[in-house]
């Protein structure tokens, strides 16, 4: 029997935050926040600084109490339950390891504090050492570990008590890009193998896309949109979501009507079919076209594509995995990411811009 597969034998860990409000000295920090995290899910909260994502995580942990609203774990109201009784694990950005304890002693600290039976404590320590790949470092102290190794110790300590929910507050924020990518994959692997619900806070879009089952994007103390990474990227609810997650080109458009294949909109003299988050969207919109969706051609528009307009190439840059071309349209600059192995128009060339029918997204011109 694989002890890792038996680590979490239940499907507990559903978290629901309802109507959460919090003020700081009279200034709203969270307003009418509502999220539902499914058991076993990796859910990421992302947003700009001051958006409220870490504040919400601390309310779920019980480190802050909301002015209004409810936190429930597996249908039990824990809004006023102390942190230590919520059955959660918490990984902070600075890891908060005990410098005088070894890797093994740090991981089993919480088990000792709970006076867990020695035989069971030894078994769980072995599970965590295997899960985090720290066997060869078990006798070392935190000062003898790299930042990535310390992060795995903190993760093992948080999971040792078999929490229903694991909360992670920007645990990779202090690491360099390459190490963040490597350890992000490790966090995801460990979360999957332990079958623990994870709620993760980050400001890094790449982390959010790579790690998450679903994402909650926050702004000004509110949740702007919740969905899978692909849903938020390809079908943004509003202008803020479209601009925050990745790069995009925004073309002023007039909504004409809705049909089975999408919503039609006029861009200048052209008509495109796009996705609309809201079927009752305002007539005045932006058509959001991601750089990799924008097609440049010097001849006919490719089959299955909608012409947007014509433009002149003003810049061209080879960036390894993509070739970025900048075009100018009546003073507006747009970017297209092209296959570096394919044809690339020269600077000064006149090109036709098009997008695959139904691939772009229509968003209101105002941020709601």
């Amino acid at each position: 029997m694989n002890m890792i597969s038996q680590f979490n034998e239940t499907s507990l860990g559903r978290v629901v935050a309802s109507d959460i409000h919090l003020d700081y000295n009279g200034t709203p920090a969270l307003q009418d926040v509502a999220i539902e995290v499914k058991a076993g899910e990796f859910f990421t909260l992302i947003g700009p600084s001051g958006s409220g994502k870490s504040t919400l995580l601390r309310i779920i942990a019980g480190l802050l109490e909301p002015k209004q609203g409810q936190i429930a774990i597996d249908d039990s109201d824990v809004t006023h339950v102390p942190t230590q009784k919520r059955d959660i694990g918490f990984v902070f950005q600075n890891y908060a390891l005990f410098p005088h304890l070894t890797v093994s002693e740090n991981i089993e600290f919480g088990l000792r504090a709970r006076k867990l039976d020695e035989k069971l404590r030894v078994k769980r320590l072995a599970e965590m050492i295997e899960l985090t790949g720290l066997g060869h470092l078990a006798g070392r102290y935190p000062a003898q570990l790299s930042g990535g190794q310390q992060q795995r110790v903190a993760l093992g300590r948080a999971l040792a008590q078999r929490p229903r929910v694991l909360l992670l507050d920007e645990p990779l924020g202090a690491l360099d890009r390459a190490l963040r990518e490597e350890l992000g994959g490790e966090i995801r692997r460990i979360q999957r193998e332990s079958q623990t619900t994870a709620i993760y806070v980050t400001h890094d879009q790449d982390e959010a896309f790579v790690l998450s089952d679903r994402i909650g994007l926050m702004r000004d103390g509110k949740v702007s949109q919740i969905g899978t990474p692909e849903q938020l990227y390809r079908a943004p609810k509003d202008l803020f979501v479209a601009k925050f997650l990745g790069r995009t080109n925004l073309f002023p458009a007039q909504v004409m009507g809705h049909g089975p294949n999408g919503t039609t909109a006029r861009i200048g003299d052209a008509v495109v079919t796009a996705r609309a988050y809201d079927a009752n969207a305002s007539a005045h919109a932006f058509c959001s076209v991601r750089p990799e969706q924008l097609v440049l051609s010097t001849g006919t528009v490719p089959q299955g594509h909608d012409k947007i307009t014509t433009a002149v190439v003003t810049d061209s840059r080879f960036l390894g995995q993509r070739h970025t071309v900048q075009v100018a349209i009546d003073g507006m600059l747009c970017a297209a990411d092209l296959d570096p192995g394919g044809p690339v128009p020269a600077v000064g060339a006149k090109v036709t811009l098009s997008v695959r029918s139904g691939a772009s997204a229509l968003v209101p011109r105002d941020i709601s």
Side-chain angles (χ1 to χ4, degrees):
M1 181 182 295
N2 187 325
M3 62 178 142
I4 291 178
S5 66
Q6 296 300 311
F7 173 69
N8 189 343
E9 297 174 353
T10 68
S11 58
L12 299 178
R14 177 173 173 263
V15 178
V16 178
S18 308
D19 191 32
I20 299 297
H21 291 252
L22 182 71
D23 293 346
Y24 283 135
N25 299 321
T27 302
L30 294 176
Q31 304 175 65
D32 194 27
V33 170
I35 65 168
E36 178 183 345
V37 181
K38 303 170 187 175
E41 183 175 36
F42 198 111
F43 187 92
T44 297
L45 293 168
I46 189 172
S49 297
S51 61
K53 52 190 185 294
S54 289
T55 300
L56 178 58
L57 194 74
R58 280 164 167 73
I59 287 177
I60 294 171
L63 301 174
L64 291 173
E65 189 164 316
K67 178 181 178 182
Q68 177 182 317
Q70 182 188 74
I71 300 296
I73 299 179
D74 294 324
D75 299 321
S76 296
D77 185 353
V78 298
T79 310
H80 305 293
V81 174
T83 300
Q84 64 271 22
K85 294 185 178 180
R86 293 196 182 195
D87 197 9
I88 62 168
F90 205 121
V91 178
F92 297 91
Q93 184 173 355
N94 63 2
Y95 312 138
L97 300 179
F98 297 107
H100 62 290
L101 300 182
T102 66
V103 167
S104 292
E105 290 167 343
N106 263 285
I107 290 176
E108 68 173 341
F109 178 83
L111 303 178
R112 286 184 177 274
R114 292 174 57 189
K115 295 181 169 52
L116 201 66
D117 176 76
E118 182 179 1
K119 186 177 293 187
L120 186 54
R121 190 176 71 240
V122 170
K123 177 185 177 184
R124 289 195 187 174
L125 175 60
E127 289 175 352
M128 289 303 99
I129 291 293
E130 178 183 344
L131 193 64
T132 56
L134 291 168
H136 62 300
L137 302 172
R140 293 191 185 180
Y141 293 90
Q144 299 173 304
L145 305 176
S146 68
Q149 291 164 346
Q150 291 181 30
Q151 187 257 354
R152 291 207 298 272
V153 177
L155 197 58
R157 183 178 62 186
L159 288 170
Q161 299 181 60
R162 298 187 177 180
R164 288 184 290 176
V165 182
L166 178 66
L167 307 177
L168 306 103
D169 191 4
E170 302 207 47
L172 306 180
L175 306 177
D176 62 55
R177 169 62 64 180
L179 190 54
R180 286 167 70 177
E181 291 179 357
E182 177 185 344
L183 291 176
E186 281 292 289
I187 288 175
R188 190 64 164 117
R189 175 189 66 80
I190 291 170
Q191 181 267 337
R192 281 175 172 160
E193 291 185 6
S194 64
Q195 302 174 39
T196 303
T197 303
I199 304 178
Y200 187 96
V201 164
T202 183
H203 64 276
D204 189 287
Q205 297 177 30
D206 291 338
E207 276 182 27
F209 281 136
V210 169
L211 298 177
S212 312
D213 293 313
R214 288 190 304 145
I215 294 172
L217 176 56
M218 298 189 66
R219 177 176 70 95
D220 296 335
K222 299 180 180 179
V223 178
S224 292
Q225 188 173 348
I226 294 175
T228 66
E230 184 173 1
Q231 286 170 339
L232 267 64
Y233 186 76
R234 299 198 182 282
K237 177 181 179 180
D238 58 26
L239 189 56
F240 168 74
V241 178
K243 294 171 70 174
F244 186 85
L245 292 175
R247 299 175 298 144
T248 193
N249 302 296
L250 299 170
F251 299 93
Q254 299 290 324
V255 175
M256 299 170 63
H258 306 281
N261 298 320
T263 298
T264 55
R266 185 175 297 279
I267 300 175
D269 296 327
V271 175
V272 301
T273 300
R275 307 180 188 197
Y277 182 87
D278 184 356
N280 298 313
S282 167
H284 301 285
F286 279 116
C287 184
S288 170
V289 184
R290 302 293 183 181
E292 70 276 10
Q293 296 174 330
L294 201 58
V295 175
L296 309 183
S297 55
T298 54
T300 58
V301 173
Q303 186 176 2
H305 288 66
D306 298 328
K307 176 182 175 180
I308 298 174
T309 188
T310 57
V312 175
V313 176
T314 59
D315 194 21
S316 180
R317 305 278 178 178
F318 175 76
L319 300 176
Q321 293 181 330
R322 68 182 190 277
H323 202 118
T324 293
V325 174
Q326 182 176 276
V327 300
I329 312 161
D330 298 328
M332 181 179 77
L333 297 178
C334 295
D337 286 345
L338 309 181
D339 179 354
V344 177
V347 173
K350 186 176 181 179
V351 293
T352 298
L353 278 60
S354 63
V355 62
R356 184 176 298 279
S357 184
S360 58
L362 291 169
V363 296
R365 293 194 190 182
D366 296 325
I367 296 179
S368 58

